[in-house]
Amino acid sequence: MNVVAPVREASDSRVTEHFDVLIVGAGISGIGSAYHLTKSLPDSSFVILESQEGYGGTWLTHRYPGIRSDSDLHTFGYSFKPWVGPPIATAQEILSYMGEVIDENDLARHIRYQHKIIAASWSSASNVWTIDAVKGAAEEPVRFTANFLWMCQGYYRHSEGYTPEWPDMAAFKGRIVHPQRWPDDLALDGKRVVVIGSGATAATILPAIADKCAHVTMLQRSPTYFRLGRNVIELAQELRKLQVKEEWIHEIVRRKILFEQDAFTRRCIGEPEQVKKELIGQISAILGPDYAAKHFTPSYRPWRQRIAFVPDADLFEGIKSGKASVVTDEIERFTEGGIKLKSGEELPADIIITATGFNLCVLGDIAFSIDDKPLDFADTVTYRGMMFTGVPNMAWVFGYFRASWTLRTDLVADFVCRLLKHMKEIGARKVVPALRAEDHNMPLLSWIDPENFNPGYMMRNMHLLPKRGDKPEWQHSQDYWAEKDEIPAIDLDDKAFVYS
């Protein structure tokens, strides 16, 4: 192990621990990245800093009723760890799966929980990152240094969700709850509930609470696309009957799903009207064509925003039963007893749940600096959505929208481990992405093309994100089926990487 003993700086009472690699976040990305690091670079020292009290990230933060994945676990799960449950899994099932990865690979000893990073500063004099954090409820200051910083903290702020400011919210006499901070004492029995939103969170909460409430209404400004299907992979079941090894089943099913996802994505772009007809047709078969036309017919083409999978059509069966309903309208203001809509209708409510999305969080809300100069990531250009021009020895895991997030965790991890090995082989202590001579007249564009993908949380915060160029090297294409070949083939001696 290449471990440097803790040191105490003369001007500071804190003990500084040094590691080869510091991983930020013990969610799905951080745990997966740590696994790859232990297998590819077993002699490297590393630590994982996690601000929450346990591992899991999203699956620990969100505790609302029914919380589940909206990606299948054969691709959202890791490539190296077979998934043996139903494709759409509960948060607890995902946490158990991650716990097995931690236990099986002795990762727990590397994780420091309740460590919130405040600042990260790079020194060109020493070629290290200095990480200042606070530990525990007492927020005790702690400090680490690392040769390489691996950002796996996700893309949204875990401490608070996004809730718009509607007129007269204070007038409402009931409770207003955001799913990201679901209270343990929220009593739903016999209550009239309005869930504001139309994404995967709203679609999950509604069927999960419908049996408890007097009635639950999903209030949406505009409709969203959903895909329906059974929460089972028939191929996996058949292969298990044949006593095929789980590792083989995982790989076969994973490849089948990825092949089908690629074909579906291409159809969404190549024949959007036909795909739209098929998606809405599934809902029409349950709720009737008039209901589907009014409440489940989006104005945009499929896959310009994320499409959530609804297992066993539970959302639509809840509506069909009469226990739940959908209203498509805009909010004029809140009232004492509910919500006044722009149509003039008033929705009565005892509880209002604002399933209105995330607050985008660029690199953990950490104060970054390079040689004492504050770093604004919006001034940088991304290298394939993993690194940034002018930012040394740092990688970022930002997953896919149209495929499972974890697929990119694996790709980025393989790249980072290969990069660290390359640096060791050539004797480099520092690597910085830089525009090449042929890139300097390249147009600089927003992080993602809004014509390609435009969810609200991205559009609200695009100004905070790094820029992209018009060449493959300088953008996050969101295309797993291209990147699965492109990222492993990256030439580490390309002039886009400056070593010293």
Side-chain angles (χ1 to χ4, degrees):
M1 297 285 284
N2 181 20
V3 181
V4 177
V7 298
R8 190 181 301 274
E9 300 179 4
S11 59
D12 198 314
S13 61
R14 285 173 290 185
V15 171
T16 299
E17 292 184 81
H18 181 81
F19 296 91
D20 294 326
V21 179
L22 189 146
I23 295 174
V24 180
I28 197 80
S29 299
I31 298 303
S33 299
Y35 167 87
H36 285 281
L37 189 61
T38 61
K39 299 305 178 185
S40 296
L41 294 159
D43 292 331
S44 293
S45 63
F46 73 95
V47 68
I48 306 171
L49 299 188
E50 169 56 56
S51 62
Q52 300 199 83
E53 68 275 12
Y55 63 86
T58 289
W59 309 108
L60 183 65
T61 295
H62 295 274
R63 299 176 184 179
Y64 57 81
I67 178 172
R68 64 193 181 198
S69 64
D70 66 345
S71 299
D72 73 277
L73 261 293
H74 291 281
T75 59
F76 187 77
Y78 300 117
S79 60
F80 55 84
K81 169 75 171 171
W83 176 257
V84 298
I88 300 301
T90 66
Q92 189 54 55
E93 288 170 330
I94 297 170
L95 286 171
S96 295
Y97 172 82
M98 292 180 65
E100 290 175 8
V101 173
I102 292 170
D103 292 342
E104 291 165 2
N105 297 282
D106 194 23
L107 298 179
R109 63 191 177 92
H110 298 281
I111 308 173
R112 310 284 180 90
Y113 295 115
Q114 291 188 297
H115 278 63
K116 180 182 178 182
I117 298 174
I118 305 300
S121 57
W122 170 265
S123 167
S124 295
S126 59
N127 283 329
V128 297
W129 284 99
T130 297
I131 309 299
D132 286 315
V134 291
K135 179 176 70 172
E139 298 194 338
E140 175 191 347
V142 288
R143 175 170 286 175
F144 303 84
T145 56
N147 301 334
F148 196 92
L149 196 55
W150 201 334
M151 303 299 295
C152 299
Q153 82 297 335
Y155 65 100
Y156 69 91
R157 188 170 295 122
H158 285 260
S159 60
E160 59 174 354
Y162 172 72
T163 301
E165 283 294 326
W166 291 289
D168 301 330
M169 289 179 72
F172 179 58
K173 297 297 186 182
R175 293 187 72 171
I176 300 174
V177 174
H178 192 284
Q180 198 167 315
R181 281 290 173 260
W182 193 272
D184 293 333
D185 65 344
L186 187 64
L188 297 170
D189 293 350
K191 303 293 185 180
R192 298 166 300 173
V193 179
V194 173
V195 180
I196 303 174
S198 60
T201 302
T204 298
I205 291 174
L206 187 139
I209 67 174
D211 286 339
K212 300 177 182 178
C213 305
H215 189 80
V216 55
T217 302
M218 186 170 82
L219 172 59
Q220 59 180 11
R221 184 174 54 185
S222 58
T224 297
Y225 287 109
F226 296 99
R227 293 186 79 182
L228 283 60
R230 293 178 62 212
N231 191 18
V232 66
I233 302 291
E234 292 179 1
L235 175 60
Q237 289 185 320
E238 190 67 24
L239 291 173
R240 288 191 181 106
K241 288 180 184 177
L242 299 175
Q243 297 184 333
V244 174
K245 292 180 180 179
E246 286 294 345
E247 290 82 2
W248 292 12
I249 295 174
H250 186 64
E251 183 63 21
I252 292 167
V253 172
R254 188 178 172 92
R255 290 191 184 200
K256 179 180 185 290
I257 291 170
L258 288 170
F259 178 84
E260 292 172 346
Q261 286 178 346
D262 184 25
F264 178 71
T265 300
R266 294 181 189 279
R267 288 191 63 222
C268 287
I269 297 170
E271 45 184 285
E273 289 305 314
Q274 179 60 30
V275 173
K276 182 176 182 176
K277 182 179 178 181
E278 292 169 6
L279 293 174
I280 297 169
Q282 287 186 303
I283 301 169
S284 296
I286 299 172
L287 299 179
D290 292 341
Y291 204 99
K294 182 176 182 180
H295 298 299
F296 295 101
T297 303
S299 59
Y300 55 91
R301 68 165 173 80
W303 259 139
R304 280 189 72 188
Q305 296 186 20
R306 190 164 176 83
I307 300 176
F309 181 79
V310 179
D312 303 316
D314 60 3
L315 168 64
F316 305 102
E317 293 295 344
I319 296 168
K320 184 180 179 180
S321 73
K323 297 175 182 177
S325 58
V326 180
V327 172
T328 303
D329 205 335
E330 292 188 49
I331 296 172
E332 180 179 296
R333 58 184 172 86
F334 280 44
T335 65
E336 287 190 6
I339 298 173
K340 179 74 176 294
L341 303 174
K342 289 190 176 179
S343 64
E345 180 185 358
E346 183 164 349
L347 283 180
D350 303 301
I351 298 169
I352 295 173
I353 299 169
T354 57
T356 43
F358 305 123
N359 282 310
L360 192 72
C361 172
V362 180
L363 292 150
D365 285 335
I366 297 166
F368 280 88
S369 61
I370 296 177
D371 294 330
D372 298 325
K373 294 180 180 178
L375 174 60
D376 184 347
F377 283 94
D379 294 335
T380 71
V381 182
T382 184
Y383 178 81
R384 293 189 180 272
M386 301 187 294
M387 301 179 76
F388 312 99
T389 54
V391 183
N393 291 21
M394 190 178 81
W396 185 29
V397 178
F398 196 106
Y400 293 114
F401 297 123
R402 296 194 180 102
S404 294
W405 183 276
T406 323
L407 293 167
R408 203 161 200 267
T409 295
D410 285 333
L411 286 174
V412 173
D414 287 340
F415 166 77
V416 171
C417 291
R418 195 161 63 90
L419 177 64
L420 292 174
K421 285 181 180 178
H422 184 70
M423 291 175 68
K424 185 175 182 179
E425 288 167 1
I426 66 174
R429 296 184 60 198
K430 176 180 176 182
V431 59
V432 187
L435 296 180
R436 303 159 300 189
E438 63 265 33
D439 301 323
H440 281 284
N441 291 324
M442 177 178 63
L444 297 182
L445 310 165
S446 60
W447 168 263
I448 196 165
D449 180 1
E451 291 300 313
N452 182 34
F453 194 78
N454 60 6
Y457 61 86
M458 293 293 292
M459 296 302 101
R460 287 194 302 270
N461 298 284
M462 195 72 76
H463 63 286
L464 301 175
L465 288 163
K467 302 295 187 292
R468 68 182 163 95
D470 62 355
K471 300 178 181 179
E473 296 89 343
W474 303 110
Q475 56 186 257
H476 180 355
S477 70
Q478 284 294 328
D479 186 350
Y480 165 74
W481 298 274
E483 288 197 331
K484 69 180 177 62
D485 299 319
E486 292 171 352
I487 291 178
I490 290 172
D491 180 4
L492 296 177
D493 290 318
D494 188 278
K495 292 182 180 178
F497 301 107
V498 179
Y499 300 98
S500 59

